[in-house]
Amino acid sequence: GFVKKISDYITKKVADKLSGMCKTDKEEYEKYWDDISPFIKFGCLKDTKFCEKMSDYVLFKNLDDKYLTFKECLEENKDKHENTIFYTNDPVQQSQYVNMFKAEGIDAVVLKDAIDQPFISQLEQKNENVKFVRIDADLNDSFTEEISEDELKDATEKLTETFKKALNRDKLDVKVQKIKDEKVSSMITVSEESRRMQDMMKMYGMGGMDPNMFGGQETLVLNANHPLVKYLAENKDSDKAPVICEQLYDLAMLSHKQLSPDEMTKFVQRSNDVLMMLTK
């Protein structure tokens, strides 16, 4: 009991010191934040009283390296996406998605630490209407243009068949959208729920299980505005179609996660073959 009292006292003093620093000298507080962030978040997960004292003083760094509180994060996206906080766990790997967000003026925060996933889950539990969504989870209306149902159906059927055949993947999930950025040919998306399920499986040593049994399949999103995608839709039986499909798929994966050594070797070899085709 005596040790518990000492623990509670130290916890209170730490919380008071940190909150006081944030109130009186936020600039100095921000300098320490990146180093102390994992420990504060762990403390919030383990100690209810500490969490209550620190709830307004937990900071999130956005894409412009600006530090925001939880309430300020919600305010940033309030006009376009109320009660949603977008995040990236790797701004370099996910740079294609980051650039799209910046182009549309939508903010996101950087969550790199392992403790961040359980921490944001706790925040969602305490704030029922709030959701954290990774920037590559899905493409909402802010990034796409309208497409007619007939055009969408026709393009989806043709491109799905073409890509499944070229990649030899019968279960490949293909989605066709008109992405505003015409330079983007293809992307990979995974729903936030599926990704968290995959992370949980890895955490509990279930990484070897098939993620698709829990709906964890990645979706290949093809931009109907891109010339290569248009070419495939109109020339699905072309001799060039298989190599274009493989290249577009790997390019999408590169913006999503690291390729395996074998996949990277094939991608480099194929890239050389494509360049050789230009010399003929």
Side-chain angles (χ1 to χ4, degrees):
F2 185 64
V3 173
K4 179 69 169 63
K5 287 181 180 179
I6 295 176
S7 174
D8 291 342
Y9 177 76
I10 294 174
T11 300
K12 181 180 182 301
K13 294 295 287 185
V14 170
D16 289 344
K17 177 68 175 178
L18 291 171
S19 60
M21 184 188 297
C22 189
K23 289 176 185 177
T24 59
D25 194 353
K26 190 167 183 285
E27 188 174 329
E28 188 69 17
Y29 183 72
E30 290 174 356
K31 292 178 182 178
Y32 293 108
W33 180 253
D34 288 351
D35 293 326
I36 65 176
S37 169
F39 303 102
I40 292 179
K41 291 172 182 175
F42 180 76
C44 289
L45 288 169
K46 297 293 288 183
D47 192 302
T48 303
K49 290 183 179 179
F50 181 78
C51 184
E52 290 173 356
K53 284 182 174 291
M54 289 300 300
S55 60
D56 292 333
Y57 309 105
V58 171
L59 302 183
F60 297 85
K61 186 160 66 175
N62 72 0
L63 298 177
D64 297 320
D65 292 333
K66 178 182 176 183
Y67 289 93
L68 306 169
T69 64
F70 177 65
K71 291 178 181 178
E72 288 171 340
C73 288
L74 291 173
E75 195 65 29
E76 286 281 305
N77 288 330
K78 186 176 181 180
D79 293 339
K80 294 185 177 180
H81 303 284
E82 191 171 11
N83 291 329
T84 300
I85 298 177
F86 295 101
Y87 71 94
T88 170
N89 67 330
D90 191 336
V92 176
Q93 181 74 48
Q94 297 156 7
S95 60
Q96 179 175 251
Y97 306 88
V98 169
N99 291 335
M100 289 176 64
F101 267 68
K102 286 185 174 181
E104 292 301 318
I106 302 175
D107 200 14
V109 298
V110 181
L111 299 175
K112 292 182 176 181
D113 298 319
I115 196 72
D116 286 323
Q117 286 301 316
F119 181 69
I120 63 176
S121 294
Q122 183 194 63
L123 282 175
E124 288 172 337
Q125 291 172 3
K126 292 179 177 293
N127 303 270
E128 293 184 4
N129 296 324
V130 175
K131 290 295 294 181
F132 280 81
V133 180
R134 209 168 89 175
I135 57 176
D136 58 350
D138 198 4
L139 290 179
N140 55 53
D141 295 342
S142 298
F143 306 103
T144 60
E145 300 171 352
E146 287 189 15
I147 182 172
S148 68
E149 287 189 19
D150 291 339
E151 184 181 1
L152 177 63
K153 183 180 179 181
D154 182 57
T156 302
E157 287 179 356
K158 288 180 180 178
L159 291 168
T160 299
E161 179 189 351
T162 304
F163 272 83
K164 282 184 176 181
K165 183 178 179 182
L167 301 175
N168 193 27
R169 294 184 57 179
D170 293 336
K171 294 183 179 180
L172 180 67
D173 187 16
V174 178
K175 188 175 182 179
V176 179
Q177 291 182 280
K178 279 192 172 182
I179 302 172
K180 291 179 181 178
D181 188 348
E182 295 182 8
K183 296 178 182 178
V184 175
S185 58
S186 54
M187 304 178 74
I188 295 291
T189 61
V190 180
S191 73
E192 186 68 19
E193 293 78 10
S194 296
R195 180 182 293 106
R196 293 196 194 187
M197 178 62 74
Q198 289 179 24
D199 291 342
M200 188 177 71
M201 288 165 63
K202 291 176 184 177
M203 186 183 301
Y204 289 100
M206 300 164 63
M209 295 179 64
D210 182 5
N212 294 341
M213 69 184 292
F214 294 108
Q217 186 172 345
E218 295 143 341
T219 298
L220 174 64
V221 179
L222 299 172
N223 185 7
N225 282 328
H226 195 277
L228 283 174
V229 177
K230 291 178 181 177
Y231 175 85
L232 289 172
E234 297 168 1
N235 302 274
K236 64 186 185 74
D237 296 322
S238 168
D239 294 339
K240 299 177 183 178
V243 69
I244 294 175
C245 289
E246 291 175 345
Q247 200 73 352
L248 287 182
Y249 180 78
D250 280 354
L251 287 170
M253 290 301 295
L254 278 169
S255 296
H256 178 65
K257 64 182 180 182
Q258 289 185 341
L259 297 180
S260 68
D262 184 50
E263 290 169 338
M264 180 57 76
T265 298
K266 290 179 180 178
F267 173 74
V268 172
Q269 290 175 344
R270 193 186 320 112
S271 298
N272 287 329
D273 293 340
V274 171
L275 291 174
M276 286 299 296
M277 289 169 59
L278 297 176
T279 66
K280 295 179 182 179

